[in-house]
Amino acid sequence: MTNTVFFLFGATGDLARRKLYPAIYSLYRERKLGDRFAVIGLARRPKTSEQFREDVLESIKEFARYNVTKDEQWASFAEHFEYMPLDINNTEAFRELKTVADRLDDKFDVGGNRLFYLALAPELFGSVSHHLQAGGLLETPGWARLVIEKPFGYDLPSAEKLNAEIRQVFEEKDIYRIDHYLGKEMVQNINVVRFANAFFEPLWNNKYIANIQITLSETVGVEERGGYYDHSGALRDMGQNHMLQMLAMMAMEPPSRLSPEDIRDEKVKVFRSLRGFQSAAEARANTVRGQYAAGNLKGKPVVGYREEDSVNPESTTETYFAARVFVDNFRWAGVPFYIRTGKRLPVKTTEVVVEFKNVPNNVYLSKKHKLEPNLLVFRVNPMEGIYFKMNGKQPGSEGAIVPVAMDFCQSCQVGLNTPEAYERLLHDAARGDSTYFTRWDEVALAWKYVDKIAAAWGERTDNLNLYQAGTWGPDQAQQLLSEDGFKWWPVNGQDEGEVAWEFTKR
Ligand SMILES: NC(=O)C1=CN([C@@H]2O[C@H](COP(=O)(O)OP(=O)(O)OC[C@H]3O[C@@H](n4cnc5c(N)ncnc54)[C@H](OP(=O)(O)O)[C@@H]3O)[C@@H](O)[C@H]2O)C=CC1
Ligand SMILES: O=C1O[C@H](COP(=O)(O)O)[C@@H](O)[C@H](O)[C@H]1O
């Protein structure tokens, strides 16, 4: 049980509505919250606590994994929620907030533990920390932790500035920087599959692995988020955080213990080993950027990025990027990690594919047999599971070889109702487990890497490749792999042309 007062800054926002209230409700239903908790919703717009509870109910009805009805169970959950209109820029309001917090702490016998969740625009992160201190909210007999949403800065200098501001108030151990991909079941499963199975770890190196491919494709466009996204772009929005974090999970050495610091230390070593680019030309040669133009998605016409209402009609922001990344250490020398992400691609999926090298002196490798490499696939979303593709004899044939699959479909077994990333992360923050939150040194190194790419892109205006919405991005991203003799593997069983293996239908 996690006795906590949750201070939810940005309580009227999109993230709170779609992710945070449903997550808190699931934790309650699964008895991970207990009864000694309170949630204080904070935002500028005026509303009563009664209206707030109604809004929370609506969001849970729409987005939660559990059904909810306005019954006794709902009433006993909802009584833990209160709303207070508060403008971050008003220091005085934080004194009043302390009074509300102390009252709720007493009412629900919380014991002084405080979790400040900043679901706010990043410009406000620094001031909130200072005002919390000035308002006396950090003087508490329990713990006080800060949960910060992404983006953590726009580049390394801005991230450093933000970090310095927050660190004036909170110690690193009490800062929980969210990367919600680290809360996803299958991302957390990467370590388990790697380090708890005898048959993967011995092969997990440059002797046996040809390349690793990480795809994070989305069908959504930027829609109303242009205000943020047009300034950020795919590299900063997804590359600096989710993609490099997944890469680090794939590449890290086994930690000697399962403590948060041991695990994060291993990830930091990966970030330190990322091969930096010696020149802007080298950065450009190893990356591709694109922007979606009008096209068709699932049979419906969709507008191009520049036609989106919230976007500058002359925008040169990328909505797609791909990169060839090298981890220069003993284990990974010479193995390319290919990463790609984009909006308005044909399917919503996140997959990590490990492509193995051929066996030495493969007697089946001849014109007669079409052999495909072994693949191990982590399906992160929307379906969760692990897929392993190998070669086998076609039953009854004269030695024909066919691809066969071992398919562990977690979603089929557990249902699509596995815990949402935000549930896991909120619960972890409340019980003080920072394993799946990003530590400052990880964030800084990731920015250092990404800043080089952004700077190289910024030097030229001819590197933005338009791609039609509903396609797999610019052709240059295919070339990135074909230059090395590889190809992107189809994701999610989608046929991107010739697919040599049977996808096991679910
Ligand atoms: N939405 C999403 O899916 C994701 C969001 N994030 C991050 O989460 C954070 C929040 O995003 P999102 O919910 O989409 O943003 P929204 O714009 O939907 O919400 C912003 C919230 O901040 C409040 N707010 C704005 N200014 C002030 C102020 N001066 N004082 C007090 N409250 C203020 C707004 O309420 P009011 O106007 O009433 O004051 C509102 O509740 C951002 O950092 C974003 O990058 C990260 C990943 C995904
Ligand atoms: O952080 C972000 O992630 C979402 C994708 O998250 P998912 O869990 O739905 O895969 C992305 O749409 C958004 O642009 C980005 O800010």
Side-chain angles (χ1 to χ4, degrees), residues 19 150 180-181 184 216 218 220 225 228-229 237-238 241-242 343 348 350 381 422:
K19 299 289 183 189
K150 67 174 273 268
H180 78 276
Y181 263 70
K184 291 191 189 269
L216 206 164
E218 297 190 279
V220 288
R225 288 183 74 212
Y228 152 71
Y229 192 90
D237 185 47
M238 301 287 234
N241 36 73
H242 311 324
K343 296 207 185 282
K348 163 76 182 164
T350 305
N381 73 35
Y422 278 95

Side-chain angles (χ1 to χ4, degrees), residues 274-290:
L274 293 179
R275 185 187 297 172
F277 302 106
Q278 299 307 312
S279 65
E282 188 187 326
R284 286 192 293 269
N286 283 283
T287 55
V288 174
R289 65 193 301 253

Side-chain angles (χ1 to χ4, degrees), residues 91-224:
T91 327
E92 274 312 300
F94 283 76
R95 297 203 178 282
E96 197 189 322
L97 176 58
K98 180 173 168 21
T99 313
V100 174
D102 289 344
R103 173 171 56 73
L104 288 172
D105 197 305
D106 279 351
K107 180 174 172 188
F108 295 108
D109 189 21
V110 172
N113 298 334
R114 296 182 171 176
L115 192 141
F116 303 101
Y117 196 118
L118 311 191
L120 292 167
E123 306 83 81
L124 298 170
F125 293 165
S127 0
V128 180
S129 315
H130 285 291
H131 293 170
L132 287 172
Q133 190 176 48
L137 280 139
L138 305 184
E139 292 150 28
T140 176
W143 46 256
R145 297 183 188 133
L146 187 70
V147 180
I148 309 188
E149 263 301 334
K150 67 174 273 268
F152 197 88
Y154 172 77
D155 53 13
L156 183 57
S158 59
E160 280 173 336
K161 186 166 171 274
L162 171 59
N163 198 51
E165 261 187 284
I166 294 168
R167 284 298 311 277
Q168 283 172 13
V169 180
F170 288 90
E171 288 181 49
E172 175 66 30
K173 72 172 178 51
D174 295 320
I175 302 173
Y176 289 67
R177 298 179 193 82
I178 291 251
D179 182 316
H180 78 276
Y181 263 70
L182 292 178
K184 291 191 189 269
E185 282 289 323
M186 288 310 297
V187 174
Q188 298 188 356
N189 213 353
I190 291 172
N191 280 356
V192 181
V193 168
R194 285 189 55 194
F195 304 137
N197 290 299
F199 46 71
F200 291 126
E201 193 47 33
L203 305 182
W204 214 260
N205 55 57
N206 56 4
K207 257 193 190 158
Y208 299 101
I209 291 179
N211 71 77
I212 292 183
Q213 305 180 9
I214 303 176
T215 297
L216 206 164
S217 67
E218 297 190 279
T219 50
V220 288
V222 72
E223 286 138 27
E224 74 292 344

